[in-house]
Amino acid sequence: MKNYILALDQGTTSTRALLLDEECTVHSLAQRELECFYPHPGWVEQDANSLFVSTIDVINELLIKGNVSWEQIAAIGLSNQRETTIAWDKRTGQTLAPAIVWQSMQTKEICDSYAPYSPLLSEKTGLRLNPYFSASKIRFLLDHIPNAKELIDKGALAVGTVDSWLIYKLTKGKVFATDHTNASRTMLYNLKEGTWDQELCDLFKIPMSILPTIKNNNDFYGEAAFFDVRTPIHGVIGDQQSALFGQGCFNPGESKNTYGTGCFMLMNTGEKIARSKGGLLSTVASSLDGKRQFALEGSVFVGGAVVQWLRDQMRWFKESKDSEEYALRREDGSGIYFVPAFVGLGTPYWDDEARGAIFGLTRGSDRHQIVRAALEAIAYQSKDVIDLMIEETGLKIPSLKVDGGASSNSLLMQFQSDILGVDVVLPHNRETTAMGAGFLAGLGVGFYPSLSYLADSLKVERIFHPSMEENERNKRYKGWKKAVEATRVFKVD
């Protein structure tokens, strides 16, 4: 009997795996942390082979911890860090360069050279011309892989996002595919038509032959042949859309915010492509059985990554979770603002040249206050995005569904509720990114009967209610906007 869905979440800082049963309950969980490399200022890279090895590791650990055999797995679902780009040789399955992580700014000059085409790119893709997206990363790889032209001519070069890389490896090279949500983040995907766009590929001089086939989220993606029992891969989706799906945001207007390495706010806009004038992105939310739903998205480049920076670079605490206790050692209201623009600023600023800064320091300031300011910065950046969504859609957000690693920080979640003036809803199971992929895999093989069944299965752990006075909220947010403005004025030559 097939008792479980195996859901994978390959993220920037860790790879996670969990088992979901028929009642959508998590049976067991495994995780491996991952390393990023910073060879030059603003560059962020990873070893693609490590991403795959970590995937195999967490699967094996999961089955051992859960005392589950492969015969009990009905299907595999996969969510992944989006935009991160990998090139490999189809003949050998070996990578040809480090993976360029979505955060990396190393393709800024390429993007600058395409500035005259910004209106065309925005109209066709729903995105903004930015190093964040995959097209410039692909162009960079093609420019720097020594034998790229020879590989293309032989039909041996494959370039894709992390989902396509893991599918290729898990199926032992039999399937080279991606889904609509990941494709919509490449800046080579026609949002209206739902296909790779020949004009955009020609513009970036990227042969369409090196790109993966685009499938629906719940399609069959081949069998994981890396293990004794062949198991179907039936749910593939980009991590933020997966979290939207895992939160049960199946209807227009429903929204979530994920607090991971970055922060990502998505609002389901149904079958209509919503266009933004203020810096929000239009993207595919899901594609089930050929029927696409769309979303508006706002991106905060540095969310939980600022806590990791304090942990790893500053070494002020040993584990990210310690940041809450550390910040609580000093009372609120220090007047310090931390703008963590380590790789530029995302929505609504889209300023690639901005760099991190701390304002309001006095002789009495200490690191506990700076840690608190860093946590508050995550909430301020999310408010920037959410306020713009409300303004452009005309929709009120009575509550905000949250997930991601940093959502476990009660200080941050309470401050987020305070600075927004709305309830913040924390789900009982915060592994919503993996759950979204698991839900799709379950739908794909009939393990789960319907969307309504999935929505009814979701439970709430805690609701944070706003307690800050409106005058105080406005005062603090005004200070944040001043800090951002000052950060953007300072430019490194």
Side-chain angles (χ1 to χ4, degrees):
M1 184 176 178
K2 303 294 185 180
N3 305 106
Y4 303 103
I5 295 292
L6 195 161
L8 295 166
D9 172 19
Q10 200 302 294
T12 314
T13 57
S14 70
T15 300
R16 306 166 79 84
L18 56 82
L19 291 175
L20 289 172
D21 64 19
E22 292 176 335
E23 297 179 350
C24 304
T25 301
V26 176
H27 177 69
S28 55
L29 172 70
Q31 176 182 349
R32 288 286 187 281
E33 288 208 0
L34 293 164
E35 187 177 5
C36 288
F37 305 100
Y38 311 94
H40 303 286
W43 289 37
V44 188
E45 296 179 343
Q46 285 184 313
D47 175 14
N49 287 314
S50 295
L51 304 185
F52 176 59
V53 170
S54 70
T55 301
I56 300 300
D57 283 349
V58 293
I59 290 174
N60 286 326
E61 180 183 339
L62 183 72
L63 297 180
I64 293 169
K65 287 173 63 176
N67 193 27
V68 170
S69 68
W70 269 110
E71 288 79 5
Q72 293 175 271
I73 307 299
I76 297 172
L78 169 65
S79 67
N80 62 284
Q81 54 170 308
R82 306 171 304 171
E83 297 97 19
T84 296
T85 306
I86 302 167
W88 68 94
D89 189 327
K90 288 181 181 179
R91 300 167 301 182
T92 64
Q94 294 300 307
T95 57
L96 300 168
I100 304 178
V101 177
W102 58 272
Q103 289 176 311
S104 185
M105 292 290 110
Q106 68 199 71
T107 61
K108 184 182 180 302
E109 289 185 3
I110 294 175
C111 288
D112 289 345
S113 70
Y114 282 94
Y117 301 99
S118 290
L120 172 69
L121 292 165
S122 179
E123 174 61 29
K124 285 204 167 193
T125 69
L127 309 176
R128 296 174 64 90
L129 178 60
N130 191 275
Y132 179 26
F133 305 109
S134 305
S136 63
K137 301 180 193 298
I138 298 174
R139 184 64 261 159
F140 182 94
L141 288 169
L142 295 181
D143 289 341
H144 289 81
I145 295 171
N147 58 338
K149 187 179 185 306
E150 177 185 346
L151 290 169
I152 292 169
D153 291 342
K154 292 181 177 179
L157 181 62
V159 181
T161 43
V162 173
D163 58 315
S164 59
W165 163 246
L166 293 181
I167 292 165
Y168 189 87
K169 296 294 284 185
L170 287 169
T171 62
K172 291 193 173 179
K174 291 184 178 180
V175 179
F176 180 39
T178 189
D179 81 286
H180 286 273
T181 65
N182 277 293
S184 72
R185 310 296 296 184
T186 60
M187 201 169 275
L188 299 173
Y189 175 91
N190 189 304
L191 196 61
K192 183 178 179 181
E193 301 298 329
T195 60
W196 296 125
D197 189 282
Q198 188 66 62
E199 183 179 9
L200 297 181
C201 288
D202 291 344
L203 181 65
F204 284 96
K205 296 183 176 61
I206 296 171
M208 203 177 291
S209 61
I210 71 173
L211 301 176
T213 302
I214 302 173
K215 292 175 170 281
N216 296 305
N217 296 120
N218 60 337
D219 279 352
F220 175 59
Y221 284 80
E223 294 177 319
F226 214 80
F227 309 94
D228 293 338
V229 178
R230 294 178 180 270
T231 306
I233 302 170
H234 246 290
V236 177
I237 185 169
D239 54 7
Q240 300 313 317
Q241 288 93 332
S242 189
L244 186 72
F245 203 85
Q247 285 274 29
C249 297
F250 305 140
N251 302 304
E254 295 180 333
S255 309
K256 70 87 194 175
N257 196 22
T258 294
Y259 299 80
T261 304
C263 295
F264 301 90
M265 171 79 176
L266 269 75
M267 174 186 287
N268 188 321
T269 61
E271 296 179 37
K272 177 184 177 182
I273 301 175
R275 299 286 184 174
S276 171
K277 296 181 180 178
L280 297 170
L281 307 174
S282 302
T283 194
V284 177
S286 64
S287 179
L288 301 180
D289 302 319
K291 184 178 181 180
R292 291 185 301 161
Q293 283 196 326
F294 298 91
L296 274 179
E297 176 174 335
S299 305
V300 172
F301 291 163
V302 177
V306 69
V307 178
Q308 294 163 352
W309 180 79
L310 292 170
R311 180 194 68 188
D312 299 337
Q313 269 69 38
M314 304 305 290
R315 299 184 181 181
W316 285 352
F317 38 81
K318 292 183 178 180
E319 297 185 51
S320 294
K321 65 180 181 179
D322 296 335
S323 61
E324 181 177 1
E325 186 272 333
Y326 209 83
L328 286 169
R329 294 181 188 178
R330 293 292 182 272
E331 292 185 4
D332 190 12
S334 66
I336 296 174
Y337 289 91
F338 190 151
V339 184
F342 299 149
V343 290
L345 289 168
T347 311
Y349 311 105
W350 292 103
D351 188 340
D352 301 336
E353 296 181 3
R355 290 296 178 264
I358 302 175
F359 298 93
L361 295 176
T362 68
R363 183 64 180 82
S365 300
D366 61 28
R367 54 189 174 181
H368 304 287
Q369 294 169 328
I370 294 174
V371 172
R372 179 184 282 267
L375 294 174
E376 291 176 351
I378 299 172
Y380 283 129
Q381 290 178 103
S382 296
K383 179 175 170 62
D384 287 340
V385 176
I386 293 165
D387 282 0
L388 180 59
M389 278 191 174
I390 293 171
E391 177 185 339
E392 292 205 332
T393 63
L395 298 172
K396 297 294 183 183
I397 300 179
S399 64
L400 179 67
K401 294 182 178 181
V402 298
D403 54 62
S407 67
S408 298
N409 190 308
S410 296
L411 173 63
L412 170 58
M413 291 300 98
Q414 183 59 56
F415 188 76
Q416 185 71 86
S417 175
D418 287 341
I419 206 65
L420 286 175
V422 301
D423 288 347
V424 167
V425 181
L426 185 68
H428 176 71
N429 190 334
R430 273 156 273 181
E431 299 294 336
T432 55
T433 304
M435 286 177 67
F439 287 171
L440 286 163
L443 290 171
V445 295
F447 190 83
Y448 298 126
S450 65
L451 292 177
S452 59
Y453 176 86
L454 295 172
D456 291 342
S457 73
L458 300 174
K459 298 177 178 63
V460 173
E461 177 177 311
R462 183 177 176 184
I463 300 177
F464 294 86
H465 304 287
S467 59
M468 186 180 289
E469 295 292 334
E470 184 175 0
N471 288 341
E472 179 68 13
R473 179 185 307 129
N474 293 338
K475 175 184 174 183
R476 293 195 182 203
Y477 189 55
K478 183 178 179 180
W480 164 256
K481 299 297 279 188
K482 286 183 177 179
V484 172
E485 182 180 354
T487 299
R488 300 182 68 192
V489 167
F490 177 79
K491 303 292 183 184
V492 178
D493 294 332

